[in-house]
Amino acid sequence: MKSKLTRRTLLRGAGATGLAALAAPAIIRPAFAQAGELNVWSYSGFITDDFRRRFEEESGIRLNIRQVSDQGEQFNLMAAEEGNYSADIVCCAGHRFYQFVDAGFLEPIDMGKMTAWDRIEPEYAEATWVSRNGERWGVPLVVVTTGLLYDSQQFDKPTSWDVMFDPANAGRTTYQIQDFFQIAMNYLGYDGSAASYMDDPEQAQQAVNATRDFLIEHKGQVRRYYEAATEIQQMFVNGDVALAEAGSGPSAQLIIEGFPAGYTIPEEGGLAYAYGFNITRNATNLDNAYTFLNALLSSSENGAEIVRSTGYESVIAGTGEHLTPEERAVLALGAEERSRLSWVDVETAPFIFDLIDTAAEEIRAA
């Protein structure tokens, strides 16, 4: 598995090798079956082999799937196509889709055609991050969280991010600066989402500067800053680190593979953002796109397949019923921990990310 865990790129979930396929019910009623095809740009694990087989058999629609690995890659490809998009559906991150919307690449979701929208968990179906300018612009599929990964042989379940700054743990921690920065802002009592700073850029800059200085002051705690998720896993396996800011996907995969680790959202909180499918403007196969999206959401068994293939939480209601207790412990956060998550704010993301990027370079150079 090769993946890069930052807010600007998407983790590529490892395939569900060695996992038994689920026996799932029909996902499309024959009355709605259509002929034709659908062109989808997706990330690994979001469309499982079992779902693809069932969907094509029951709908008569052939899925042409192009694997992509980066939001910037998708954006540049769509820009180059100048409105003649080769994809009917693309997969956008919840904290980046505003760029695709503002560039005119996407079509707002016609809720009258989304017959399976009620299969999305309410906390995700009504979330603000699926909307912009009064329209819904995508169908959420999985939720990625950023929390604390720890070696469970060396630590009991930590309740605070304090452990990352405890001198006793110097040289045993790692984080990706930009992703950890918003968590550190929240830890210090600032607004990591920057939503409260929308009308006060000077206050935002002060919060960023204070957080930057704090992280520079505690730079000696860090074994090294990571960029790719595989680096976290390797550092844990090698015994180089015992604590990390990490995403839910690589954390779950490390635990599933048998490493003695745990993943939690400390009391000061963590971050969350979603990935989903979006319809391109003037999509050639528009009806087939809605058939696909409704089928994707209609099966909670499919939600469990996606969870297993990516390590991410599914937004599809009832998914947890198809996971074993052991799988739920690794692949699903409880309600209490979910309540501690801060969602990346779509409207403030552009300006706060720019401030954080500058601060990150200053931290590296310090």
Side-chain angles (χ1 to χ4, degrees), residues 222-301:
V222 186
R223 177 64 176 254
R224 78 168 187 265
Y225 304 120
Y226 75 83
E227 287 298 329
T230 49
E231 294 179 61
I232 311 173
Q233 296 166 330
Q234 197 60 55
M235 282 191 280
F236 268 83
V237 170
N238 291 344
D240 297 331
V241 299
L243 297 162
E245 162 272 318
S248 50
S251 298
Q253 289 159 1
L254 185 67
I255 296 167
I256 288 170
E257 289 170 5
F259 188 85
Y263 177 78
T264 186
I265 307 299
E267 60 187 15
E268 300 90 355
L271 298 179
Y273 39 90
Y275 295 104
F277 285 117
N278 309 73
I279 297 175
T280 59
R281 187 169 295 280
N282 300 320
T284 302
N285 301 294
L286 185 60
D287 289 342
N288 290 346
Y290 281 102
T291 299
F292 169 80
L293 293 173
N294 285 315
L296 200 68
L297 298 175
S298 293
S299 167
S300 54
E301 289 94 336

Side-chain angles (χ1 to χ4, degrees), residues 146-189:
T146 302
L148 177 62
L149 178 66
Y150 61 95
D151 187 321
S152 58
Q153 290 185 330
Q154 299 185 48
F155 294 92
D156 293 330
K157 186 176 184 178
T159 59
S160 170
W161 286 104
D162 285 341
V163 293
M164 294 288 283
F165 308 110
D166 185 339
N169 300 323
R172 297 200 295 163
T173 72
T174 184
Y175 56 82
Q176 202 281 338
I177 298 177
Q178 283 97 327
D179 287 343
F180 189 54
F181 201 96
Q182 290 174 286
I183 291 174
M185 287 178 69
N186 289 333
Y187 173 80
L188 294 173

Side-chain angles (χ1 to χ4, degrees), residues 44-63:
S44 178
F46 282 25
I47 304 173
T48 66
D49 291 341
D50 285 344
F51 173 84
R52 180 178 188 171
R53 174 185 52 75
R54 295 194 304 271
F55 177 78
E56 291 184 336
E57 288 178 355
E58 296 172 20
S59 70
I61 299 170
R62 184 177 72 253
L63 291 180

